[in-house]
């Protein structure tokens, strides 16, 4: 009998001794980080509202109880009884029965009403039908990404169960080493922005945190080939943890599966979906630019299949000596400050990922409150001594001013923007300004992946700022459903119509004017002297966006859609800073200043050389902590 | 055709085009770092004294020319002709013909006379008989270690040729990576003394520098299991480089062969022999103390079989992107400051190994002059701010004083000492003092491995201090052959005789009174109130030597040879510092102060925590260089 079997047997014995005699325990298995208990008496189990919590706290594990398949009500009968229990206002849109696990997935517009107070409605469902309900939200705006991911996971359910069981056994394996140490190896993202990738290593466990590309430098991928990473074989990586879906953190996660990795990807649920959206787009862009993509869509599907969603605040065992907790990072949807607790009180490391310290319209500011943390690995994008951003209120005023002027004069406002994050932030500004009458209510056209990204945001309102979440929960207040927002889904014809029409606002990808529908919009309205082009995000060196910012007004057009030749840009070009998803220098300093507890050591990463050096030096002088500006390929030992 | 074959073909073509038409080139192969050229015209090859040098400089390789076996004179005939060429005073003691390689190994008391001016005698031999002569010294004192090693290598000659050819192909393999970086990982010996082990790593190559144990802490071995070391498989280590034979640097080198390592061990020739002596003794001691040794003598033989001796100053290719050069370290016989040149001018790292900065009687001071060096990894044993040693001249005065007093009063002087280094240093002091009449000429008895270690020293006079080397070359001046030195080889009977006799000096292992014949000597003379026990080396915490130093005079005797019970120590106990093989604080500072060029970065290792911190801080403040006191298991990137 293996050590894992023995451990499971012990756990089963404990459970049997804890539950009342009249409740049977037929099987106990692992499913990823969770313990699953099968019972022939699911109704009795559910009737004791506190039993599961007592077991979980006794075993220090997350526990799911499932009915033995034999005791389930038939789906047709169960469906009717479930619908009787759930209030009509919950807006149930789908019920999906899985006989193998005894689960019924309930998709509803208002999941909270399916759950009930402290889970009372869920328990009632189990008591009535035996099935274990699992609730997901019906996206308020239909998202093909979300429905594709959900359908795919449904279809791969059997394989996924095997994967989860295997991962569960890995997580709960016996510890082998008496040694105690904690190390971090930097594989990318040091003294540069891009190719985020770190190894957290103990004598037991090796975890890869992020695995991104470097925009504008396709050859510079993380140093995955060194033995500390995959050089010793992909199976030596126990887990991958993804802080957020931006490509500089996620682009090469699917590549790991091409290299033979077969373990879990821990991330939030929105990060999983956005990773799917962004990596598939990444493959698309590579194909369009004639580059050989490093992997195929099959590997994106593998990554999704191996994803284990973790919610903010849930402490999750991911290895015998490692607990993972995600916290809101305020940067993009699902972005997480990632906290690792090593051993039994041995050490604590937090990776900031990318953070925004102050609240924005979309997100609460980054969490910096932890039970313990000795070392912080911290982004430094705007860590330079002069990297202070315009206050967002000022920026919004300026943007509204421009819109007022332009639309009053009959012109159009064209805003290149990233699909994820910045676009939704601008949408929120516009919706409020129009609602309050600060700017005229004109159509706001959304092109490229912006609509899809917005749909994903509305699928996960729990990940948005408190007040925004509450508004989305009420359809009539959901700002993203405001009438003036129009999804451009009619292609060139629709764009031509818009161009021929009156004053309006157009938000379109790509954000740095490097291809995408923005090229077409420039073609349509670039010649109009009374229209304006407004940059709301950072334009990197070498991009067309940067060149236009710098005064270029003859734009080479040589893609298929828009033909060859030169476009004379007659629009006024404006830049409105202050909508960044990243904390500025002050935000980064404040993040550490108010951090609780204050870490002993900070590694400054994810910034160009002067930014990390400046931030490292400022933190050292202001807070008297040990700070470092690592290079790639270094290893730091903490314990 | 493989890349290596292609390269060899190109080299052969170059050689053919360089040598005169009347000289044939039948084959070109690698033998370790050397290129071997077989010719049917060895005599013509040898007649052009400059041809080999021209080829070597053209190809930037070390070149050996060997005759095609078919053109060799028969051994019996060749032997006679060779003996006619070599002057009688050379003292040839053995000729050994190897038809497979066309080599004849000539063992002589004076190898220089076999070589001749600029190799003229060697060339003459080849011209006369076709055979390629290789010269080794007849040990002036017979050493069983040296003759065992030589006989073993002779017997394993065929396998060794295969090994060397394989290693040669590895060294000259094609470079695969376009990346350029240089890293060092610390596997031991950081903030501690013992278990020296470092990895030097480039995109092409991984080299292990030293692999020692930690005396007094048998469990604490280097972190070999991490993927940067052997975790990714022993075959991922390209080469092992050994700075010197002390067990804290060499003890676990044989273990590598148990782990599947099959590559070269680069070290000086004396280090190879001393490693053999000391690791076999290490196994002996472990067995006597009832500990399971981590490997067997078979692995010691493997280590010797895979050793590639390198002389001080020879620049040797050990990988496509790595050149190794050893320099005298002044610490023990064969000890080397180890210099690595990475890539074609990319980076230079020197490992000090253990060093002595000033000249001692045995050795010239450590070399600190290099073509280039950016990073120095430096020992810090006496790096603490108060670690100043007594001047050796003062120490010698004190030692002679003690000897004078004791012997004049009819007593005996008992000196526990390490077999390698300290014993020979003391022998030189005594020999001079007796020769100059400063102390009475009394018998000096050498017990334990001291005689054997002395024999090894005299086998390699080139590794000793200039003037000592010259004296050894003349038998009548060889200080180690002075009449008063007596090798205790008659066991307990002889010891009893000595104990019953008159005034004398006894130098015996172990140096810290942890077993060995010193225990027997304590038994014999420990009760004599007119005799003295004199410590001349550091006594570590927890050793019996340290306890005696601290005043213990009741010595538990419980080994088999000396029976159980307690010995009453009546001897006076004295300590004479200043014979250390390690540079003191001032020597370490001077090593860096006069280093040419001054390195940019220094990693302070091989010292307890306060020593490395003190030295690191002192170097930083005095020389304004970047200094570090690494922990074990860290990785530093330099380029
Ligand atoms: Zn980001
Ligand atoms: Zn980022
Ligand atoms: Zn032979
Ligand atoms: Zn040493
Ligand atoms: Zn040492």
């Amino acid at each position: 009998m293996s050590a894992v079997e023995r451990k499971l047997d012990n756990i089963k014995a404990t459970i049997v001794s804890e539950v009342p005699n009249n409740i049977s325990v037929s099987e106990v298995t692992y499913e990823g980080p969770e313990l699953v208990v099968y019972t022939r008496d699911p109704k009795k189990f559910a009737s004791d509202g506190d039993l599961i919590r007592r077991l979980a706290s006794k075993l220090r594990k997350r526990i799911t109880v499932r009915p033995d398949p034999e005791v389930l009500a038939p789906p047709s009968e169960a469906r009717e009884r479930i619908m009787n229990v759930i209030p009509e206002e919950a807006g149930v849109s789908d019920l999906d029965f899985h006989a193998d696990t005894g689960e019924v997935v309930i998709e509803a517009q208002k999941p909270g009403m399916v759950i009930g107070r402290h889970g009372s409605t869920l328990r009632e469902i189990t008591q009535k039908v035996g099935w274990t309900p699992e609730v997901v939200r019906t996206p308020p705006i239909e998202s093909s990404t979300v429905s594709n991911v959900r359908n795919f996971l449904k279809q791969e359910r059997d394989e996924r169960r095997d994967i989860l069981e295997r991962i569960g056994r890995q997580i709960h394996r016996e510890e082998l080493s008496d040694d105690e140490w904690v190390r971090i190896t930097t594989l990318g993202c040091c003294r540069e922005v891009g190719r985020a990738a770190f190894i957290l290593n103990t004598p037991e466990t090796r975890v890869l945190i992020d695995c991104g590309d470097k925009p504008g430098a396709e050859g510079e991928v993380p140093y995955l080939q060194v033995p500390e990473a995959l050089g010793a074989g992909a199976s030596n990586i126990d887990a991958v943890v993804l802080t957020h879906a931006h490509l500089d953190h996620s682009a090469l996660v699917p590549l790991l599966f091409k290299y033979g990795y077969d373990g879990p990807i821990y991330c939030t649920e929105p990060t999983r979906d956005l990773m799917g959206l962004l990596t598939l787009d990444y493959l698309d862009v590579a194909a369009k630019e004639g580059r050989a993509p490093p992997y195929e869509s099959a590997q994106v599907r593998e990554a999704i299949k191996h994803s284990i969603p973790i919610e903010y605040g849930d402490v999750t065992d991911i290895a015998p000596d490692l607990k993972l907790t995600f916290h809101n990072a305020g940067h993009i949807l699902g972005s997480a400050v990632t906290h690792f607790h090593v051993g039994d009180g041995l050490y604590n490391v937090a990776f900031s990922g990318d953070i925004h310290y102050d609240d924005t319209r979309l997100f609460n500011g980054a969490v910096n409150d932890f039970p313990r943390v000795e070392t912080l690995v911290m982004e430094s994008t705007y860590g330079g001594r002069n990297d202070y951003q315009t206050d967002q209120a000022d920026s919004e005023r300026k943007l509204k001013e421009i819109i007022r002027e332009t639309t009053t004069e009959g012109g159009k406002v064209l805003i290149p923007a990233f699909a994820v994050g910045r676009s939704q932030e601008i949408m929120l500004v516009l919706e409020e300004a129009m609602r309050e009458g600060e700017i005229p209510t004109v159509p706001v056209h959304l092109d490229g992946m912006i609509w899809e990204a917005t749909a994903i945001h509305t699928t996960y309102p729990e990940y948005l700022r408190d007040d925004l979440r509450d508004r989305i929960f009420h359809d009539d207040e959901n700002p993203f459903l405001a009438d003036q927002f129009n999804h451009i889904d009619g292609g060139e014809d629709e764009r031509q119509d818009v161009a021929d029409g009156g004053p309006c606002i157009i938000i379109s990808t790509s954000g740095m004017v490097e291809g995408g529908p923005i090229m077409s919009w420039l073609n349509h309205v670039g010649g109009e002297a009374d229209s304006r082009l407004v940059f709301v995000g950072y334009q990197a060196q070498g991009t067309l966006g940067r060149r236009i910012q710098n005064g270029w007004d003859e734009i080479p057009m040589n893609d298929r859609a828009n033909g060859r030749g030169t476009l004379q840009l007659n629009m006024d070009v404006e830049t409105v800073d202050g909508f960044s998803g990243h904390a500025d220098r002050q935000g980064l300093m404040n993040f550490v200043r108010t951090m609780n507890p204050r870490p002993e050591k900070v590694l400054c990463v994810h910034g160009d050389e002067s930014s990390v050096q400046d931030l490292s030096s400022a933190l050292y002088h202001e807070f008297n902590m040990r700070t470092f500006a690592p290079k790639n390929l270094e290893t730091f030992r903490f314990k």
Side-chain angles (χ1 to χ4, degrees), chain A residues 319-332:
Chain A
D321 62 347
L322 216 54
K323 289 185 200 301
L324 163 71
T325 317
F326 284 140
H327 301 277
N328 170 46
H331 170 63
I332 63 163

Side-chain angles (χ1 to χ4, degrees), chain A residues 45 71 223 298 304-305 319 324 363 425 461 612:
Chain A
F45 228 116
V71 302
Y223 291 96
I304 288 170
K305 201 194 293 170
L324 163 71
F363 305 113
E425 188 78 18
V612 292

Side-chain angles (χ1 to χ4, degrees), chain A residues 255-305:
Chain A
L255 180 66
L256 300 170
F257 292 88
K258 197 163 162 186
Y259 287 168
Y261 179 68
D262 199 26
I265 311 287
Y266 294 100
C267 60
T268 63
E269 213 166 358
T271 294
R272 177 195 63 195
D273 295 356
L274 288 173
M275 171 184 69
L277 176 69
L278 294 176
T279 53
L280 289 173
D281 185 58
Y282 168 82
L283 295 182
D284 256 16
V285 170
K288 276 186 190 139
E289 293 180 356
R291 281 182 289 119
Y295 53 85
E296 276 114 63
S297 57
Q299 277 88 41
V300 175
R301 285 194 294 274
E302 283 301 308
I304 288 170
K305 201 194 293 170

Side-chain angles (χ1 to χ4, degrees), chain A residues 244 248-249 354 582 606:
Chain A
H244 68 290
D248 59 320
H249 299 256
D354 292 352
H582 288 275
H606 196 291

Side-chain angles (χ1 to χ4, degrees), chain A residues 91-254:
Chain A
V92 172
S93 50
D94 192 26
L95 286 186
D96 193 21
F97 291 87
H98 298 282
D100 50 346
T101 60
E103 283 174 304
V104 52
V105 180
I106 306 173
E107 192 178 83
Q109 276 152 23
K110 295 181 179 161
M113 304 197 70
V114 181
I115 293 165
R117 207 175 148 75
H118 296 312
S120 59
T121 310
L122 290 185
R123 275 197 303 281
E124 199 181 336
I125 291 170
T126 301
Q127 278 177 295
K128 292 257 157 75
V129 300
W131 295 83
T132 308
E134 194 188 298
V135 192
V136 298
R137 180 181 315 281
T138 317
I141 302 175
E142 208 179 300
S143 157
S144 56
T145 302
V146 172
S147 70
N148 284 345
V149 168
R150 287 181 184 174
N151 287 333
F152 170 69
L153 289 175
K154 199 184 289 184
Q155 167 196 324
E156 299 289 327
R157 215 177 145 79
D158 287 346
E159 197 191 330
R160 191 164 153 80
R161 266 189 85 200
D162 294 345
I163 292 171
L164 286 176
E165 182 165 358
R166 180 167 49 73
I167 291 171
R169 286 164 166 266
Q170 269 300 102
I171 292 171
H172 300 95
R173 70 187 183 270
E174 204 78 356
E175 287 192 58
L176 293 175
S177 176
D178 289 333
D179 264 9
E180 289 196 334
W181 41 258
V182 180
R183 307 195 294 164
I184 288 176
T185 300
T186 56
L187 303 178
C189 194
C190 288
R191 307 192 182 191
E192 64 182 350
V193 174
R195 56 170 169 174
F198 302 91
I199 295 281
L200 177 66
N201 179 217
T202 73
E204 294 295 332
T205 306
R206 192 167 312 135
V207 175
L208 175 65
I209 294 114
D210 288 347
C211 195
D213 76 337
K214 187 166 176 180
E218 274 66 29
E220 295 182 31
V221 297
Y223 291 96
L224 297 174
Q225 77 285 7
V226 297
E228 305 96 298
L230 279 80
S235 62
N236 285 305
I237 302 287
D238 295 87
V240 175
V241 175
L242 185 54
T243 64
H244 68 290
H246 272 154
L247 288 171
D248 59 320
H249 299 256
S250 75
L252 300 176
V253 167

